[in-house]
Amino acid sequence: MDAFPVSRISSASTASTSSYRFFHGSAELRYLFPRSRIAARSSLQEATKADELAINGTRLESSKLNGNPGQELQKGGASSLNTVLAAIAALLVASPRPYSLALESPRQGRLVEGRLVYRQTFVIRSYEVGVDKTASIETLMNHFQEVALNHVWMSGLAGDGFGATHAMIRHRLIWVVSRVHVQVERYASWGDAIEIDTWVDASGKNGMRRDWLMRDYKSGQILARATSTWVVMNQTTRRLSKMPDDVREEITPFYLQRRAIVRNVSHKITKVDGATQFARSGLTPRHGDLDMNQHVNNVKYIGWMLESVPLSIVQDHEVSSLTLEYRRECGQNDVVESMTWVQHADCLIADDNLETKTANFGGSGEETVEQPPCLLHLLRLQSDGSELVRGKTVWRRKKNREA
């Protein structure tokens, strides 16, 4: 299927090489061919055996090309990306030297398991890691969101909105997340390849549950699990809405009764009474923090939430579990206050050094065990105190800092 027509081809030459660039909109492929390889028609004609070219996890089968592929690439009749890739594959097969192919094509995932699960592979970039070269919890959430949106697109459900289906567009409805729970086994490092599966199921009468499973691409080890609940909101009134029948009929065929997190984590986060232990005020969204639904992107709240976590926790620990309950949307002109509490009243705290806390389970004072920091969070509007997000995080000591 010629789903990706090549709209423009250009080339540049030096004494020893010919460089070809293929364009379609903002997508660009670059490949450098040694001039001797292009000129060697006899070598290319011998490369008639079908071969597979794996690009970003997608396998493409090269076809037999007659004549000079260099000439074929410059013809205006190149009608698809597959034609271009087949020519490149033939050159790779004919060449005794290994060549790398830099390809950045949109939405490289695929539907698996009866087209009910969407799977996509990513590489952790340098700008997605912290000082310890591991991905942050925000990086994970951004990848989860990207996979979810691509799943809707790949399934043929996407309208012109931010993940909204065709029926939702007709009703002027958008998806909003009401709850997210993430469990992290291990954070990927810079340069690691990760594979993410996502699928959806019903959540009550008017909601949808979306789950994710993140694995190490090479070993298959589970890195993280996540589950979320989504409801629909009227884009005009900004009020929650019941799910119309045609929207339900549209998405029900894609439901998969499977859970990434088997344990029930549906209990609500309780409101904290008492003085705030740690706070950060004056947090304001930038224009770039708004998504296509004209409110602050849900991942941004995590960064704000962590602003009030003591530095001693952030430096020596990492988030092993995260739960968020979204209570209302935040606009560009809002000013936000971030607050954090230690969950258990019997935790022993020396100022902000939460890592030393212990809990007594026997009541005698003799049997104490070290507990990982467990924090409660609240984001609220600084103007009137309206709650935006309630959160809960459990932290563990970073492995490279363990004794």
Side-chain angles (χ1 to χ4, degrees), residues 76-254:
S79 61
S80 72
L81 181 62
N82 290 337
T83 302
V84 176
L85 292 175
I88 294 174
L91 288 170
L92 291 173
V93 173
S95 173
R97 293 177 53 191
Y99 289 89
S100 60
L101 175 65
L103 174 64
E104 194 69 31
S105 62
R107 296 186 175 99
Q108 299 155 3
R110 62 192 187 277
L111 293 169
V112 298
E113 299 191 39
R115 301 181 63 83
L116 297 179
V117 176
Y118 178 74
R119 179 171 296 164
Q120 188 165 354
T121 304
F122 298 91
V123 175
I124 301 300
R125 312 295 186 181
S126 60
Y127 52 82
E128 296 176 321
V129 302
V131 295
D132 56 358
K133 298 183 180 180
T134 60
S136 65
I137 186 68
E138 294 162 281
T139 295
L140 269 59
M141 294 297 293
N142 278 321
H143 282 306
F144 288 158
Q145 180 171 273
E146 179 69 12
V147 168
L149 293 171
N150 288 344
H151 181 203
V152 177
W153 178 88
M154 184 68 75
S155 300
L157 292 174
D160 59 355
F162 196 47
T165 68
H166 300 285
M168 292 175 66
I169 295 298
R170 292 195 297 269
H171 292 282
R172 295 194 59 77
L173 298 175
I174 59 176
W175 288 115
V176 291
V177 60
S178 62
R179 181 182 175 87
V180 174
H181 179 69
V182 184
Q183 295 176 354
V184 184
E185 299 295 330
R186 179 174 68 84
Y187 285 91
S189 300
W190 176 30
D192 285 352
I194 59 174
E195 184 177 70
I196 304 177
D197 286 0
T198 187
W199 61 92
V200 295
D201 196 7
S203 177
K205 294 182 178 180
N206 296 301
M208 182 183 72
R209 194 190 79 242
R210 177 175 288 279
D211 286 11
W212 296 270
L213 194 63
M214 178 183 289
R215 292 182 295 268
D216 182 279
Y217 182 77
K218 291 184 178 179
S219 67
Q221 177 190 2
I222 301 298
L223 301 179
R225 305 170 185 270
T227 186
S228 61
T229 304
W230 298 75
V231 292
V232 291
M233 184 176 76
N234 187 286
Q235 193 171 15
T236 303
T237 65
R238 315 305 287 186
R239 294 181 179 274
L240 296 184
S241 171
K242 292 183 178 181
M243 183 181 294
D245 291 337
D246 55 344
V247 173
R248 184 178 293 104
E249 292 173 359
E250 195 175 37
I251 63 178
T252 297
F254 297 91

